[in-house]
Amino acid sequence: MVVYCSYSFITRADVFYTPVQDIEFLNSEGCFELPAPIILDQFLRQYFTNVHPLLPMLNEQDFWDARSRPDPPQSKMLSLLLVQAMLFAACSFMPLKTINRLGYDSIRSARSAFYRKSKLIYDASLEPSKVATAQAALLLTYWTPPLKADSKPNTRWLMIAIENARRCQADRLSDVSQFSLLPTSEKSTLRRLWWCCIIRDLWLMQPSHWPSTSSMRALICRKTQAPGLMGMQPSYSNAFAL
């Protein structure tokens, strides 16, 4: 494992107002650590191969461009919370041999560890970006607790994602007068985020027949319509070359 600051594509966590004892605790739990570059890129490839097509929140081409540059633009960088959540989501597709190299005896234990790291970072309020928080929360909806657990964390994470997406007004992108001055890339990010909220909401309610958590059907049918799917198609760039 290496300290996340060694990766140029990850923004620095906002720890200015965080108590020292909290930082020490997060550090002891490995929240500021990521796999070494070769293993990290294996995780990221698995993420974009298996998770991204079903939940295309990110612009894949922009991501690999930032990953390959020593000084990427701020707009293309990712937060520590989001990267930890991406690793959690990719765990299920990693070879057990690679998981063992990280010190975990099973894929389940690795998923649990990366989920815990992500949750601790979220609970510590280290992520100032509502967009990144919503993106990470959507990925954490893939967490499945033990069979005997009474809680339904995936529903809670979905509500967190939707709440933060609404705070970004991602559900109101059709208001041209309000968002006409936004850069195209930012509008695309918000559009992707909101539609991914819809996708996960509908997906999670299927097996349980629960009502839609976010009342998405009403939101889609309201007078201010949800933005179109333009920009949602995943970008499949060439695999990152080490």
Side-chain angles (χ1 to χ4, degrees):
M1 292 286 192
V2 299
V3 179
Y4 82 97
C5 295
S6 61
Y7 292 109
S8 61
F9 73 99
I10 301 178
T11 58
R12 300 299 175 260
D14 185 9
V15 299
F16 187 79
Y17 295 104
T18 307
V20 175
Q21 58 269 28
D22 290 352
I23 297 298
E24 292 176 347
F25 173 71
L26 292 172
N27 187 51
S28 68
E29 294 294 318
C31 295
F32 301 123
E33 296 179 346
L34 294 172
I38 293 178
I39 296 180
L40 176 66
D41 288 329
Q42 291 178 17
F43 269 89
L44 296 174
R45 290 193 190 98
Q46 291 299 330
Y47 172 84
F48 281 104
T49 299
N50 297 286
V51 181
H52 178 72
L54 299 177
L55 207 64
M57 300 180 299
L58 305 176
N59 184 310
E60 185 181 354
Q61 184 174 355
D62 285 351
F63 171 81
W64 289 119
D65 179 61
R67 176 69 184 95
S68 63
R69 297 171 63 173
D71 187 23
Q74 184 74 21
S75 61
K76 293 185 179 181
M77 296 172 68
L78 301 185
S79 71
L80 176 62
L81 171 62
L82 179 54
V83 173
Q84 292 283 23
M86 291 169 67
L87 299 184
F88 154 74
C91 272
S92 297
F93 309 100
M94 292 295 294
L96 182 58
K97 182 178 180 180
T98 303
I99 293 296
N100 293 155
R101 289 178 61 186
L102 293 177
Y104 304 111
D105 58 3
S106 67
I107 291 176
R108 175 74 185 184
S109 64
R111 276 173 52 85
S112 179
F114 282 109
Y115 173 80
R116 176 173 169 77
K117 292 178 184 181
S118 303
K119 185 177 184 300
L120 287 174
I121 294 172
Y122 171 80
D123 290 341
S125 301
L126 297 187
E127 180 50 65
S129 168
K130 295 179 179 61
V131 172
T133 299
Q135 291 171 329
L138 282 175
L139 292 175
L140 295 179
T141 62
Y142 285 103
W143 171 248
T144 51
L147 294 177
K148 295 183 179 180
D150 295 328
S151 63
K152 298 180 177 64
N154 48 13
T155 303
R156 174 177 173 268
W157 285 118
L158 178 61
M159 294 175 67
I160 291 171
I162 293 169
E163 178 184 359
N164 280 275
R166 284 176 172 167
R167 288 179 178 177
C168 303
Q169 296 187 312
D171 58 329
R172 297 183 178 274
L173 276 179
S174 59
D175 187 347
V176 178
S177 62
Q178 185 174 357
F179 294 97
S180 59
L181 298 180
L182 281 180
T184 301
S185 59
E186 188 172 343
K187 286 190 286 188
S188 176
T189 297
L190 293 176
R191 184 178 293 114
R192 287 169 177 266
L193 173 60
W194 187 243
W195 275 101
C196 284
C197 286
I198 295 174
I199 291 170
R200 283 305 287 164
D201 181 67
L202 297 177
W203 182 271
L204 288 175
M205 78 177 189
Q206 289 300 321
S208 59
H209 303 290
W210 294 336
S212 177
T213 304
S214 57
S215 302
M216 286 295 183
R217 294 182 183 179
L219 286 168
I220 294 173
C221 297
R222 69 185 182 183
K223 186 175 181 180
T224 304
Q225 296 181 353
L229 284 169
M230 184 181 299
M232 275 288 294
Q233 288 77 11
S235 170
Y236 297 103
S237 60
N238 293 330
F240 176 71
L242 293 175

